[in-house]
Amino acid sequence: QEAVLDDSFQELLNGFCREHCHHFEDTEENKFIYTDLFNQYSALIEGHLEEQMTAAIPGFTMSGFLEELSTRGEDEIDCAVLELLISLTDFLSFKQQMLLVKEGDPGLSLSGTAPIQEGATERPDLDGLLTVTPASPGGPGASGASGVPGGYKPR
C-alpha cells in the first residue's frame, strides 16, 4: 500500500506522463509509439514497486510475490490496491491519462489515510479507505466524482 500511495511514486508516474503526453492524440487509431511508451510506463511501475518491496521485505522477489498472490484467496488480498495496480497496467487507462495530462490536467493523484493509534507497532489496514474505479469511459476530460482522472478518490 505504501509503495503505491507514496508521493514519489505519484511524481514518477506524473513526470513520465508530462514528458511523453505530447505524442498522444484523441483518435481511435493508436500509433506504434503508444505501445513503446506503455511498455516503458509498465516497466517503470514494476521497477519502482520491486525496488520498494525489496527494500521493505528481506528476500523479496517479484516472481515469488506473484506466485504468492495467485495462491491467496480474495479475502487475503487488499482488493483496492490490487485494482489500482491493475488499472495502472491497462492500456486504455494509460492513453486516457496521457490525453488528460496533455490537456493540462495535473496528473494522477492517489491518496488514502488511516488513523495510527498512539503507541501502535502495526500499521492499520487501509482496506476500504481507498476507492478505485475504472477510468471513465466518457473519454478525455471525463473524471470521477472527485475530479481526479480515473475516479481515484479517498473515502
Side-chain angles (χ1 to χ4, degrees):
Q1 292 171 337
E2 291 174 15
V4 290
L5 296 178
D6 183 64
D7 288 341
S8 66
F9 180 61
Q10 292 178 51
E11 186 50 43
L12 184 70
L13 298 182
N14 290 334
F16 183 90
C17 290
R18 285 189 300 271
E19 182 179 344
H20 299 289
C21 67
H22 67 277
H23 293 288
F24 288 78
E25 297 174 6
D26 188 12
T27 62
E28 291 291 320
E29 190 174 322
N30 293 318
K31 299 177 182 179
F32 287 120
I33 192 166
Y34 298 177
T35 303
D36 293 339
L37 290 172
F38 179 68
N39 290 336
Q40 290 175 34
Y41 181 78
S42 296
L44 186 67
I45 291 169
E46 290 172 16
H48 176 81
L49 294 177
E50 187 166 10
E51 180 181 303
Q52 294 294 311
M53 300 295 282
T54 300
I57 303 169
F60 174 85
T61 63
M62 188 59 80
S63 59
F65 173 71
L66 294 174
E67 185 177 322
E68 178 70 24
L69 200 57
S70 69
T71 62
R72 288 186 174 211
E74 258 185 56
D75 57 333
E76 295 182 60
I77 299 172
D78 185 335
C79 293
V81 172
L82 185 60
E83 287 177 27
L84 170 63
L85 293 173
I86 290 169
S87 74
L88 290 173
T89 59
D90 176 68
F91 176 78
L92 293 178
S93 296
F94 166 75
K95 181 179 178 184
Q96 182 181 31
Q97 181 64 29
M98 290 299 235
L99 290 169
L100 288 169
V101 171
K102 183 177 181 179
E103 291 176 0
D105 190 280
L108 185 63
S109 177
L110 309 172
S111 62
T113 58
I116 298 178
Q117 297 180 2
E118 191 173 321
T121 57
E122 291 186 29
R123 293 193 173 112
D125 184 5
L126 295 179
D127 189 33
L129 296 174
L130 177 69
T131 302
V132 179
T133 57
S136 172
S143 58
S146 66
V148 177
Y152 299 102
K153 59 185 175 196
R155 278 194 161 168

